[in-house]
Amino acid sequence: MKEITTVRIKFSKEGRLIYISHLDLNRVFSRAFKRAGLPLYYSEGFSPHPRFGFALPLSLGTSSECEFVDIKLREMLTPEEVAERLAPALPPEIRVLDAYNSSVKFKTITHSDYRVKITSGNFGTDSAEAVKTVLTASPLVIIKKTKSGEKETDISPFISNVSVTSEDKTVIIDCRLAADSANYLNPEYLVKLLDERLSLSLEKDETSFVEIHRLGTYVDDEEFR
Amino acid sequence: MNDKLKHILRYVEKPGRYTGGEFGQETKSSEGINCRVAFCFPDTYEIGMSNLGMRILCGVLNREDDVLCERVYAPWTDMEEQMRLHSLPLFTQESGDDVASFDIVAFTLQYELCYSNVLNMLELAGIPLLSEERDENAPIILGGGPCAYNPEPVADFFDIFSIGEGEEALPELTRLYVKMKKDGSYSKSAFLREASHIEGFYVPSLYTVEYNADGTIASCTPKYPDVPTRVTKRIIKDMDTAHYPEKPLVPYLETVHDRIVLEVYRGCIRGCRFCQAGMVYRPVREKTPEVLCRQAKCAYESTGYDEISLSSLSISDYSELDSLTDGLLSWTEDEKVKLSLPSLRVDSFTRELMDKISSVKTGGLTFAPEAGTQRLRDVINKNVTEEDLFRAVGLAYSVGKTQVKLYFMNGLPTETDEDIEGIAKLAKDVLSVYYNTKERNRMRAPQVTVSVSCFIPKPFTPFQWEAQTELEELERRQLHLKENITDRKIKYSWHDADVSRLEAVFARGNRRLVPVLLEARKRGIRFDAWDEHFDYEKWMDAFSATGVDPAFYANREMGEDEILPWDVIDCGVTKEFLLRERHRAMKGEATPSCREKCSGCGANRLGGERTPCK
């Protein structure tokens, strides 16, 4: 059996599905492919596995409108045919946004844009200004979890295009964060940082609210496709 | 999803446990609903979602036009902490509505160690624990499942129990509920009285239990003449037409049994004398391969699962196994769908089966000789010989397998040190089979894993009267076995005896255990089936605080003429049969399987299609 074509699907993930992990998402797709009856390409060997892969992991609790999965097929199908079959087999919280053939590799991705909304009764009057001051400081040193344990990292080079607005007790942060494999910055670090620096007590304050949404994915300044 | 829940979900592990909305979930309109049922599984989401019985019963209830049935699982401890902190009451998966707002709250009782979770869930729902403390506005609390065969230790918490298979019984109960609500005759007591007339329902508050001075039961009598003196379990006569979830929900989180579960038949033709399931699910009733193949195909197409598990107490005893596996394999291989089996009897392990079943082909092998000597295997009626075992492992070794797991039990009636030493010897002999197999896989070192649990006397088994071996003695025997296993290629693991002791207490308990469970709740006990939460000392403190002696239930041989707490239930198998089997056991006499010769257990009077019973 030979791989004939690879189709890239761009999809969104929202609603209840933001609460499932990256590993769970793998299973969601592998079952959806089967429900859709797609002729998947399987790896050779003792226990064959379907071959598909995602662009970037999305952390638990985050919604997105720019996720990507590459599917390898053993029969020639157009991207449109794949999308048409796949869309109804997916949970309603995952929508197919686009389907095409692409040779641009996932590992070329450098940045992701996020919108982070924080509602808290503990914001002061100049909340937007205060948030912006924290996020644009340089250096900005946090304890970051890495594969080799926790270590102090200056994350200021990984944050750009910060704009902050506020309305009542809600602060809306738009920002671009590094997303290449070496310097991937999880937006949860920003929330944690603001929680600590601005004494928001997000966990204790049950009127508090955090929403994180991935808006776009980039190769330098070009939108990734 | 409400804001409080959204807030909390940021701070718990695996929030996907609490959001519902799994793939395939149908939203039933709340219009025209006359009875709302919250169906609770008193353990985690991952375990509850793996239970086929609960899926079947939710399915049959939702098939009723005016009934809405939603699911509830026990929140894990981090979630419970958040719920208590933020005063978020227990809610259902589908709508997120408060459990306390439902008309009926049902619990499936799969194992005794879940009782503390039942009470915790009631408390989290804000529902009073004791039936007598609940007023007209509180939901009806319904219990069912295997532990309901002895409902007595939890009798005061439940309003009503469904005994046996619930596919037909539960809709009959909701229909009665709707009828009485509609015609204005409903009150909690009138409803329960009326429900006690439906076959298979036991209303514990309608019975008076009196005790002798020694703590044994003097009598258990209905309070009114119209209430049955014994409640006979319900069965589904024709399994082919029984409800099967052909479009099962597909969880997003990985569950314990994350696959299609195909129930091939109910009951068991074997008569292992320690096995409660083998007795209470009688008579054997098979599904036809045609129906099973259709259900499997349908479930596959709607879920996309890559594994189908053939489930039954002893799958190789299915009379049409060949045509079932051939029918399934005709499409599963092309679709890359694996077939798996939970376990196999050694006497039915064949080359052909190995080629057909992926879990047998690729996984390790597990056999359950249960006892270390032929004498003891005859006592328990396991009907498996050493030769069967050696032949099976020899076959496995000859096709390259190196890992074999053997299940045994400690503390079986009449067990001596010789039987324990027999386990060590058997494991060693299995290892020798490897070295004597010419075609063995020399690339990998062989390993034999010996896993030993403790015998627990269970109601409705020939061993229901037996005392469980004392805790210290069980631990001594575990150690004795350890000392007898000297080969490093034999791995030995054993179950904690204190867990088994608590299970024995509740398995054979009566209503006098109610205060102990209440005390356990006060002391914050829950998730007893989880090693990291089980606290034997805490339990013993609850027993002494309430003046109840656990040994009376676990370690006492019950009299053959004693009134047993579960005598009020008729599970089909008669007490005369169980006694006969007990006496044969003590003489070391085996009893043939139902297919070889009917042993007159009594379950045949319940009827059933495609059964070996006459």
Side-chain angles (χ1 to χ4, degrees):
Chain A
M1 193 163 58
K2 260 194 75 175
E3 169 206 347
I4 295 292
T5 183
T6 300
V7 172
R8 178 163 298 168
I9 300 282
K10 183 181 182 185
F11 63 96
S12 65
K13 185 177 178 234
E14 58 208 359
R16 309 194 208 208
L17 268 265
I18 68 170
Y19 297 109
I20 69 165
S21 71
H22 193 64
L23 267 177
D24 298 331
L25 190 70
N26 238 302
R27 272 192 301 273
V28 167
F29 270 91
S30 89
R31 286 168 193 163
F33 296 147
K34 291 207 152 199
R35 292 192 288 261
L38 289 174
L40 293 190
Y41 167 76
Y42 280 82
S43 60
E44 306 286 331
F46 196 55
S47 87
H49 281 286
R51 297 293 300 273
F52 62 94
F54 296 93
L56 287 178
L58 187 67
S59 55
L60 210 67
T62 305
S63 56
S64 172
E65 56 189 83
C66 58
E67 298 303 294
F68 299 90
V69 60
D70 277 356
I71 316 163
K72 290 184 195 281
L73 298 172
R74 61 170 194 269
E75 283 171 30
M76 194 58 212
L77 287 180
T78 64
E80 293 74 25
E81 285 171 312
V82 172
E84 203 173 299
R85 283 205 219 171
L86 185 60
L90 283 165
E93 295 89 346
I94 292 178
R95 280 179 302 124
V96 173
L97 303 174
D98 204 354
Y100 48 89
N101 302 111
S102 173
S103 56
V104 185
K105 293 206 157 59
F106 289 152
K107 64 178 182 205
T108 61
I109 292 172
T110 56
H111 294 88
S112 273
D113 277 0
Y114 293 93
R115 172 164 293 172
V116 181
K117 266 191 194 179
I118 305 177
T119 305
S120 164
N122 297 323
F123 273 129
T125 40
D126 284 334
S127 53
E129 203 45 50
V131 166
K132 187 151 191 182
T133 308
V134 172
L135 295 183
T136 51
S138 180
L140 187 52
V141 178
I142 63 161
I143 308 287
K144 197 168 178 266
K145 260 188 216 156
T146 65
K147 276 180 191 131
S148 51
E150 293 190 340
K151 71 171 191 210
E152 284 198 352
T153 312
D154 174 16
I155 58 169
S156 62
F158 309 149
I159 308 174
S160 57
N161 300 12
V162 179
S163 81
V164 187
T165 57
S166 71
E167 193 181 310
D168 206 15
K169 294 287 175 199
T170 302
V171 169
I172 299 167
I173 305 152
D174 282 328
C175 57
R176 180 163 294 183
L177 304 182
D180 57 295
S181 56
N183 300 314
Y184 182 84
L185 183 63
N186 186 335
E188 289 285 353
Y189 281 116
L190 304 190
V191 178
K192 194 167 166 253
L193 187 73
L194 292 168
D195 194 5
E196 285 167 11
R197 301 276 169 94
L198 303 177
S199 310
L200 300 179
S201 308
L202 292 174
E203 183 170 354
K204 262 199 211 138
D205 170 15
E206 69 176 42
T207 64
S208 82
F209 217 64
V210 178
E211 281 179 298
I212 306 175
H213 183 69
R214 187 184 272 160
L215 290 161
T217 302
Y218 297 86
V219 179
D220 298 320
D221 284 332
E222 289 275 314
E223 192 164 347
F224 175 78
R225 254 183 74 82
Chain B
M1 199 183 297
N2 69 39
D3 286 354
K4 213 183 250 182
L5 178 58
K6 261 193 190 169
H7 169 83
I8 288 176
L9 288 181
R10 260 186 81 76
Y11 305 103
V12 296
E13 237 182 86
K14 300 191 185 176
R17 286 167 165 170
Y18 312 107
T19 57
E22 294 88 340
F23 186 81
Q25 180 182 296
E26 285 171 28
T27 336
K28 204 166 171 175
S29 148
S30 56
E31 232 167 279
I33 297 299
N34 292 314
C35 180
R36 292 161 72 240
V37 182
F39 208 114
C40 309
F41 193 97
D43 212 313
T44 60
Y45 176 83
E46 289 86 335
I47 297 176
M49 270 303 274
S50 305
N51 186 271
L52 178 64
M54 175 159 162
R55 287 171 177 240
I56 291 175
L57 294 175
C58 289
V60 298
L61 286 169
N62 279 322
R63 257 193 335 194
E64 298 283 296
D65 284 337
D66 58 353
V67 177
L68 174 73
C69 178
E70 301 198 327
R71 296 164 295 130
V72 188
Y73 306 98
W76 187 242
T77 51
D78 61 340
M79 182 63 174
E80 178 189 346
E81 199 181 306
Q82 293 283 345
M83 287 167 72
R84 288 185 187 273
L85 183 69
H86 297 293
S87 311
L88 179 70
L90 192 68
F91 55 90
T92 59
Q93 292 278 319
E94 285 83 354
S95 65
D97 287 349
D98 286 3
V99 168
S101 74
F102 280 72
D103 299 306
I104 296 174
V105 175
F107 283 91
T108 172
L109 306 171
Q110 296 288 322
Y111 27 85
E112 291 81 3
L113 294 180
C114 75
Y115 291 164
S116 58
N117 275 12
V118 172
L119 298 199
N120 195 31
M121 287 173 82
L122 284 173
E123 192 177 284
L124 286 170
I127 298 171
L129 304 185
L130 290 165
S131 171
E132 59 178 28
E133 287 173 358
R134 291 191 291 266
D135 62 15
E136 293 291 325
N137 296 320
I140 297 290
I141 309 296
L142 165 70
C147 289
Y149 283 105
N150 176 21
E152 294 304 272
V154 286
D156 294 357
F157 304 112
F158 284 87
D159 297 309
I160 184 165
F161 289 97
S162 163
I163 310 296
E165 298 165 9
E167 287 103 323
E168 289 166 0
L170 293 194
E172 289 170 26
L173 188 75
T174 57
R175 278 173 220 150
L176 175 70
Y177 181 89
V178 171
K179 179 186 154 288
M180 292 182 75
K181 279 274 176 174
K182 275 192 175 158
D183 67 20
S185 60
Y186 182 90
S187 70
K188 185 176 156 184
S189 62
F191 169 68
L192 291 176
R193 181 78 167 269
E194 204 52 44
S196 77
H197 301 161
I198 308 177
E199 204 183 325
F201 283 100
Y202 171 62
V203 179
S205 60
L206 295 177
Y207 296 78
T208 308
V209 181
E210 286 176 294
Y211 299 87
N212 297 311
D214 63 3
T216 58
I217 293 171
S219 64
C220 173
T221 41
K223 289 178 181 166
Y224 309 99
D226 57 302
V227 175
T229 41
R230 285 187 88 199
V231 176
T232 305
K233 81 160 181 206
R234 294 284 292 267
I235 66 157
I236 299 302
K237 293 197 170 67
D238 185 353
M239 284 303 296
D240 267 357
T241 56
H243 175 74
Y244 175 78
E246 293 188 357
K247 294 183 175 174
L249 290 186
V250 189
Y252 296 126
L253 263 59
E254 187 169 15
T255 58
V256 178
H257 300 297
D258 212 1
R259 55 186 82 103
I260 293 165
V261 179
L262 203 57
E263 187 186 20
V264 176
Y265 69 95
R266 283 190 191 162
C268 186
I269 60 166
R270 310 283 164 176
C272 299
R273 289 170 179 142
F274 55 84
C275 179
Q276 187 185 41
M279 296 291 162
V280 298
Y281 294 138
R282 289 181 177 208
V284 167
R285 289 147 291 147
E286 296 189 338
K287 285 188 183 181
T288 54
E290 296 74 43
V291 167
L292 288 165
C293 286
R294 180 173 53 73
Q295 291 175 339
K297 191 76 195 281
C298 195
Y300 168 69
E301 282 167 359
S302 74
T303 61
Y305 267 122
D306 60 2
E307 185 176 346
I308 298 172
S309 165
L310 306 181
S311 152
S312 277
L313 289 172
S314 173
I315 189 68
S316 48
D317 288 330
Y318 178 51
S319 64
E320 301 191 71
L321 190 58
D322 276 341
S323 56
L324 173 61
T325 47
D326 290 345
L328 291 173
L329 288 167
S330 71
W331 60 271
T332 51
E333 288 201 314
D334 288 343
E335 300 281 338
K336 303 261 186 315
V337 174
K338 291 174 284 188
L339 297 188
S340 66
L341 300 174
S343 70
L344 269 177
R345 282 179 66 86
V346 289
D347 49 355
S348 60
F349 184 71
T350 61
R351 182 65 196 261
E352 201 193 354
L353 208 58
M354 233 164 79
D355 290 338
K356 283 179 174 180
I357 307 292
S358 353
S359 71
V360 182
K361 196 158 48 184
T362 57
L365 279 180
T366 304
F367 297 114
E370 307 290 3
T373 61
Q374 195 57 46
R375 183 202 69 80
L376 193 51
R377 282 194 297 274
D378 287 342
V379 168
I380 63 174
N381 204 39
K382 187 67 195 182
N383 289 344
V384 159
T385 62
E386 269 182 18
E387 288 67 42
D388 293 328
L389 178 64
F390 298 155
R391 188 195 54 82
V393 294
L395 187 59
Y397 288 142
S398 72
V399 296
K401 288 190 181 292
T402 54
Q403 317 287 308
V404 174
K405 197 167 179 179
L406 302 174
Y407 280 134
F408 294 96
M409 253 187 266
N410 255 166
L412 284 162
T414 77
E415 185 188 56
T416 63
D417 280 3
E418 201 179 310
D419 299 306
I420 291 166
E421 290 145 22
I423 295 176
K425 183 173 178 300
L426 204 57
K428 222 171 170 174
D429 290 346
V430 164
L431 205 54
S432 320
V433 174
Y434 168 83
Y435 289 107
N436 293 330
T437 304
K438 254 206 314 232
E439 311 86 336
R440 70 180 180 269
N441 178 354
R442 290 158 207 258
M443 308 294 284
R444 239 179 118 188
Q447 187 175 61
V448 177
T449 304
V450 172
S451 176
V452 186
S453 61
C454 303
F455 164 71
I456 299 165
K458 293 265 175 152
F460 298 113
T461 64
F463 290 159
Q464 63 179 359
W465 294 275
E466 306 303 326
Q468 188 179 49
T469 306
E470 299 282 346
L471 190 60
E472 295 70 25
E473 172 62 12
L474 276 175
E475 285 168 349
R476 186 197 66 81
R477 291 185 196 180
Q478 289 176 336
L479 196 67
H480 185 62
L481 178 52
K482 193 174 181 197
E483 288 163 356
N484 273 272
I485 294 175
T486 45
D487 197 314
R488 284 218 315 243
K489 295 185 188 73
I490 302 174
K491 216 177 103 191
Y492 170 45
S493 70
W494 62 93
H495 286 230
D496 287 335
D498 50 8
V499 177
S500 305
R501 183 169 193 245
L502 192 72
E503 219 175 311
V505 172
F506 285 106
R508 297 198 302 168
N510 61 25
R511 295 187 183 192
R512 288 185 162 173
L513 291 177
V514 166
V516 184
L517 282 163
L518 281 173
E519 185 64 27
R521 172 81 300 271
K522 272 187 213 148
R523 291 166 186 259
I525 290 175
R526 73 239 189 289
F527 283 112
D528 290 310
W530 294 76
D531 279 352
E532 65 261 52
H533 291 292
F534 181 76
D535 187 338
Y536 185 69
E537 290 312 313
K538 228 172 177 176
W539 268 107
M540 289 307 109
D541 291 345
F543 277 99
S544 46
T546 46
V548 174
D549 177 15
F552 177 80
Y553 300 96
N555 310 108
R556 180 177 66 93
E557 181 180 334
M558 296 183 171
E560 290 186 354
D561 49 4
E562 185 179 326
I563 296 174
L564 303 171
W566 52 94
D567 278 353
V568 65
I569 305 296
D570 175 1
C571 81
V573 170
T574 63
K575 206 169 186 176
E576 292 70 38
F577 165 74
L578 297 176
L579 267 175
R580 222 159 51 226
E581 279 295 290
R582 180 185 198 215
H583 298 152
R584 288 176 71 89
M586 297 312 152
K587 285 185 276 182
E589 286 174 14
T591 297
S593 81
C594 300
R595 211 162 269 143
E596 291 161 89
K597 185 174 180 289
C598 175
S599 53
C601 73
N604 62 338
R605 73 199 140 88
L606 300 172
E609 298 289 323
R610 287 177 302 284
T611 169
C613 301
K614 302 285 169 328

